[in-house]
Amino acid sequence: KQLLLDIPTLGQKLQAAPNSYVKMVNREMGKAEALLKVILSPVEGLCDTFRALLPDSAPADFKTILDLKGLKKSDQLALNEEWSRHSGGPSSTP
């Protein structure tokens, strides 16, 4: 994160990065941190963790998380069904 914040001032002495750039880096790094927290969370409670940390995400994003976690298709089906029950929408599995 700090390296990204320092990029606009590389080669310059004592000049701060623009505030808009700092805000953008902090916002995007927050998203990346939330994503990593969801991926590294235990399977039990994954749906709740996903909803809490990534509330604006689409059902397809949940399926991508399941793929990144390396879960078996049978486990993914069960979690997709749980996701659908709690979100009120149809499952996104093909």
Side-chain angles (χ1 to χ4, degrees):
K1 179 177 177 179
Q2 190 60 47
L3 179 64
L4 291 173
L5 291 172
D6 292 341
I7 286 175
T9 60
L10 289 177
Q12 300 174 7
K13 295 191 188 241
L14 300 174
Q15 185 175 355
N19 284 338
S20 59
Y21 180 78
V22 172
K23 287 180 185 178
M24 187 268 309
V25 167
N26 287 330
R27 182 183 64 241
E28 296 303 317
M29 288 302 295
K31 290 177 186 178
E33 289 170 0
L35 180 62
L36 286 173
K37 286 178 184 178
V38 171
I39 292 170
L40 297 174
S41 69
V43 175
E44 302 80 23
L46 180 65
C47 292
D48 294 331
T49 304
F50 181 82
R51 266 189 233 95
L53 296 177
L54 302 169
D56 297 330
S57 298
D61 296 332
F62 185 69
K63 181 171 180 350
T64 302
I65 295 290
L66 298 178
D67 290 336
L68 289 171
K69 285 185 76 64
L71 297 173
K72 294 184 240 176
K73 293 296 179 185
S74 59
D75 295 337
Q76 288 187 20
L77 285 173
L79 286 167
N80 270 319
E81 288 175 13
E82 180 183 344
W83 170 261
S84 295
R85 279 195 308 270
H86 287 66
S87 65
S91 177
S92 64
T93 55

